[in-house]
Amino acid sequence: MFKPNFSLTLRNAALALALSACGLASAQTLHVELNTASLVNTGFLDLQFNPANTPAIFASATISHLSGFGDLSGVSLIGDVQKQGAGFVFGNTTDYNDLFQAISFGGKVSFDVTFGGLSDPSAAAIQSKFAVSLYGADGTTALGNYNPQDSTLMSFTWQPTAGAGAVTSDISDRTIASISAVPEPSSWAMLGAGVVLVGVARRRKLAA
């Protein structure tokens, strides 16, 4: 009678989990977190999504799952930025697209950002950059170990390609800013299936 090799099944399940984790690297949705524990009182969060030049191939940056943003009734929106549900959508149709919001320091501010846009296979495709900065109560003093060229704590560059596009990131202050990948629905499904498979294999091994 054939007896299943549960050790091999367990290893295959672990491999499935590893492969699903590898798939996260290509996700176009990223989770951004700002730890403001080292800062005091109140200040401002500044988010921008601007093309390197205009006109540029259309691209967008959608922020969702906002946490720590406080009261959004006084948020300042400039350029191609629109409120959408509980989040905001940035376009790159003008040269300056900005969200400026008063926040309380001492905790964490986080959101997901999803990039999308039209393809451009040319070598001269114009990039667009999503920038994240923090300012003091005066609204002008940049905080943290920011990039001296643009006062950003972190930034993401959207590069149009022959496909959907590619995103690269840069962090100037890793004590405040961090980035993690957000799995696409298919990745969550793979991850869930892998967890179930591991659980079944372990139960069968214990029962053998």
Side-chain angles (χ1 to χ4, degrees), residues 7-44:
S7 295
L8 181 60
T9 303
L10 193 60
R11 286 198 297 272
N12 288 340
L15 178 60
L17 285 172
L19 289 175
S20 67
C22 290
L24 305 186
S26 62
Q28 296 298 300
T29 298
L30 299 167
H31 180 70
V32 173
E33 186 170 283
L34 302 173
N35 185 349
T36 67
S38 61
L39 307 176
V40 296
N41 300 323
T42 60
F44 293 89

Side-chain angles (χ1 to χ4, degrees), residues 87-106:
F88 297 87
V89 179
F90 294 73
N92 66 342
T93 60
T94 68
D95 59 0
Y96 185 70
N97 311 290
D98 181 85
L99 180 155
F100 203 66
Q101 166 68 6
I103 61 172
S104 296
F105 294 143

Side-chain angles (χ1 to χ4, degrees), residues 51-123:
N53 200 354
T54 55
I57 293 294
F58 178 75
S60 65
T62 302
I63 63 170
S64 59
H65 301 101
L66 280 59
S67 177
F69 274 62
D71 182 7
L72 291 171
S73 62
V75 64
S76 173
L77 305 178
I78 299 175
D80 188 0
V81 189
Q82 304 291 328
K83 194 172 190 310
Q84 179 175 286
F88 297 87
V89 179
F90 294 73
N92 66 342
T93 60
T94 68
D95 59 0
Y96 185 70
N97 311 290
D98 181 85
L99 180 155
F100 203 66
Q101 166 68 6
I103 61 172
S104 296
F105 294 143
K108 291 184 178 180
V109 178
S110 65
F111 58 90
D112 293 345
V113 56
T114 303
F115 295 95
L118 300 178
S119 63
D120 187 348
S122 68

Side-chain angles (χ1 to χ4, degrees), residues 147-161:
N147 184 328
Q149 295 181 343
D150 54 15
S151 300
T152 60
L153 297 174
M154 67 164 65
S155 63
F156 304 85
T157 299
W158 168 266
Q159 175 66 59
T161 64

